[in-house]
Structures are given as C-alpha cells and as structure tokens.
Amino acid sequence: MICAMLAYSLGIELALGGAVSISAQSRLSPIGHYFSKSRFRAAGYPVPPGARIDSVALANDAVTLRMRGDLPSIEERMVVEAFFSSGHVLVLTYGKAELFAPRMVHGDARVIEIEGLKSVANVNATLSESTIRFSLANGQLKVDDIHYVVVRYLPGFVDLADVAGAMGGCISDVWLNPTAGRQRVTISNAVYNLEGRRTSIHLPIGPQFGHPPKVITGVKINKEFDFDGDGTKDYSFKLVFPYGARHNRVAIVYLDHGIPGAGLEDTLAVIFGQDLDLDGGLSLNEMLGMASRVPLLLGHVAIFTETYNNEMLLHLISFEPETKGFTHTIGKFVGP
C-alpha cells in the first residue's frame, strides 16, 4: 500500500512584497523564504528591492527590466527568466547562482529551448544599477511572443543543498505581459531539472495552457470526477508522476467548489494511487487517497517535484503578483 507520509502547507502569506498580513505592509521589510529539507520547514530571509520587478519594457530588439532598487550584491544568488510562447526561455544567472543544463554562471545570458533544454544562443545582457537589458538582435526571439518574466532570489550564505527545489523554489517576483490578459500562469521550472534529482512539470507556454477559469453560472465546463465528494465533478490536471515502486503514481487535480468569494474557491489537490493497468495514469478505481490540497489564488502557480532521500517532494507554489504573497505546499511521499 502506498503511504503519503506528510503534506506541509505554508499557508501564512510570506509576502515578498513586504507583508505577512495586509495591515503590516508598511512596517515590514520584504520577506522571502526557502523550504529547508533538513528541518522540513520554511526559513525566511529579506528580499532586496533589486530582486523585484518595477517595470518591463519591450522594444523590437530588447527586453529591459527596471528593478525596484539597485541589483543585489554578486555574493547573492539571482536568476531572471523571460518565457516566450515560442517555447524558448531567456535566462540570466547572477552572483552565486548557477545552472547546470546548460552550464551557466554569473553574467551568462542565454536563449534556451525548453524542450530538451538545448542552448540556442548567447545573449548580450547589460546590467547597470537597477536595470537589466537583454539584446535580442539577429532575430533570436520576438518580443511580441514574451509571456511572462520570473525573478528568483536566494541569499548567498544559504546552503543550496538544503533548499527544497533549489533556486526553482525561490520565486521573488513574477511579471505577466499585459497583452496576455488576466489569467493564471503555470510557471515552468524546467531549467532546474537535474538528472536523478528532479522531474519538472512542464506545460507548453500560452493562455490555452493556463489553469481552468472560475465557474461562472450558466457556462458549461467539462469536468471528470468528483474527487472531493461535494457532488460536483472536478477538473483533472492529467499530469501523473511515478515515485517509489514501479506502479506508484501521484496526480495533481483541480477540486472545483465553484463559489467564488464564499471561501469555497477552487483548490489544487495531490492524489496518490497505483497504476495497475500500466496506462501511465490513475483511473478512479486506482486512486488510494488524497495527500494534500492548496487553495488556488488568482495568480501564478509553480508546480514541480524533487526526489530526496528516496522520497518524493511535490511542490505547489501559488504566487499572487499584486500582493507578492504566496502559499507553498510540499507533499512528502514514500513507496510501500
């Protein structure tokens, strides 16, 4: 029998924009966090203004980020990622931050094709005080295709080996191209995939791959199962991940309460079970239980898995760009 050992949810709003609660915004410094694997709890740290986005300007041949303050010390870690609907991501590594596939260190800027994590081209990145400017000469990318920008920050003194999700779990800001409308975005963590350690959840970039809309009276929405037993069939994310023994699977599903504003908005749940018919999925009779659930804020969501000490950690980060707050749920699973 599969055992879901523990699900931990950081439900307080550890706000990267300056709040633990809305009433405290004007009094507190911006706070971020990483999730400590050794202590299995969150550890807070200050996020400098230079790791948060003030504005993004798009020109024919350049993407320019103006941060809220001077860029952090090069003794810190920061990664900036601009995702394009073409399936490419423009990545800058800064300070002590490193990537391994492809190998990138301080000052490197590259265009990476997400499918297969292939480096397509080097990019000229100009850094000055509070500004980061990427040159997109030679037709490498089209600014019209930019979808969103993610900044990840972690202090240099933190032992990266203890950080669940590594830099992928340290989101400090997200900017969504206004032309994309008001939608939820699934943030890709593909560039943090490490052989034998991580399996990133990758969805193709674009509005059609965002999360399902809130239920609106009179609009028919296709649903599948009633996982939460409330009489309403739920969305299915249809993403299933192996862990532990051969047939063990974890699936992520939407639980649709369908009453926005009543405290019963949609939530995201982790279902575990065994793929007995070996079709790669979990049918209703193969599901053994629900391991964790997290509310879906009207914002952006990062979802990824990581193996640690022969266990699987599944991360759900729901990030609200306007408040800079998030919930970070980690499910911890072991096999039979």
Side-chain angles (χ1 to χ4, degrees), residues 53-59 61-67 126 128 130-136 143 146 149 175:
I53 300 171
D54 183 62
S55 64
V56 177
L58 307 178
D61 61 351
V63 177
T64 303
L65 280 69
R66 183 172 296 279
M67 313 307 282
T126 304
S128 60
S130 62
T131 301
I132 300 172
R133 184 181 187 275
F134 298 102
S135 174
L136 302 182
V143 294
I146 194 168
V149 177
W175 176 87

Side-chain angles (χ1 to χ4, degrees), residues 95 135 143 182 207 283 304:
S135 174
V143 294
R182 189 166 174 79
S283 60
F304 55 96

Side-chain angles (χ1 to χ4, degrees), residues 13-22 25 30-31 52 68 172-174 182 297-299 318-327:
E13 188 176 71
L14 275 181
L16 302 173
V20 172
S21 66
I22 294 176
Q25 278 190 0
I31 298 295
R52 294 178 293 142
R68 297 189 181 187
S172 61
D173 213 344
V174 180
R182 189 166 174 79
L297 304 178
L298 183 56
S318 186
F319 181 83
E320 172 50 64
E322 293 182 3
T323 65
K324 307 304 178 186
F326 58 82
T327 58

Side-chain angles (χ1 to χ4, degrees), residues 285-308:
N285 65 330
E286 294 174 328
M287 297 177 186
L288 298 178
M290 183 185 302
S292 62
R293 58 198 296 173
V294 60
L296 276 177
L297 304 178
L298 183 56
H300 311 323
V301 178
I303 310 169
F304 55 96
T305 64
E306 178 181 31
T307 56
Y308 176 67

Side-chain angles (χ1 to χ4, degrees), residues 243-309:
Y243 76 97
R246 179 183 176 188
H247 306 320
N248 296 351
R249 294 289 186 272
V250 170
I252 300 174
V253 299
Y254 290 103
L255 303 184
D256 165 38
H257 294 280
I259 312 178
L264 295 173
E265 289 82 1
D266 296 350
T267 57
L268 203 61
V270 179
I271 304 294
F272 61 94
Q274 291 185 311
D275 181 19
L276 301 175
D277 58 9
L278 302 182
D279 67 350
L282 286 179
S283 60
L284 198 57
N285 65 330
E286 294 174 328
M287 297 177 186
L288 298 178
M290 183 185 302
S292 62
R293 58 198 296 173
V294 60
L296 276 177
L297 304 178
L298 183 56
H300 311 323
V301 178
I303 310 169
F304 55 96
T305 64
E306 178 181 31
T307 56
Y308 176 67
N309 287 344

